[in-house]
Amino acid sequence: MTKNVGNIDKAIRIILGVSIIALGIYYQSWLGLVGMVPLFTSFISWCPVYSLIGVSTNKKVDVEKLNIKN
């Protein structure tokens, strides 16, 4: 699993997931469990739908350009 969820995408997924769960609790609905999906995908930084369609919001860092000296 290659990470394909970036930082901004993670923040949006966390907010969305918590909101859906809160609404599910407020309305006493099992649909609040749907909020677990964006939370889970944000915590593992991988979205299966993104993998299927070839999308990535994760920025790749070029290690050679960092010029880190030990």
Side-chain angles (χ1 to χ4, degrees):
M1 285 188 320
T2 303
K3 292 183 179 184
N4 61 6
V5 176
N7 291 335
I8 295 173
D9 197 359
K10 279 184 192 180
I12 292 170
R13 288 170 185 263
I14 290 170
I15 292 168
L16 185 64
V18 170
S19 300
I20 293 171
I21 291 170
L23 286 172
I25 291 170
Y26 179 77
Y27 288 113
Q28 298 177 354
S29 170
W30 286 100
L31 292 176
L33 291 176
V34 172
M36 299 289 282
V37 174
L39 279 179
F40 181 70
T41 57
S42 69
F43 292 140
I44 65 171
S45 299
W46 181 74
C47 177
V49 175
Y50 280 7
S51 293
L52 288 174
I53 61 175
V55 174
S56 177
T57 58
N58 189 23
K59 293 181 182 178
K60 295 179 181 174
V61 177
D62 189 4
V63 178
E64 293 176 0
K65 290 182 179 180
L66 290 177
N67 293 329
I68 298 175
K69 297 177 182 175
N70 292 334

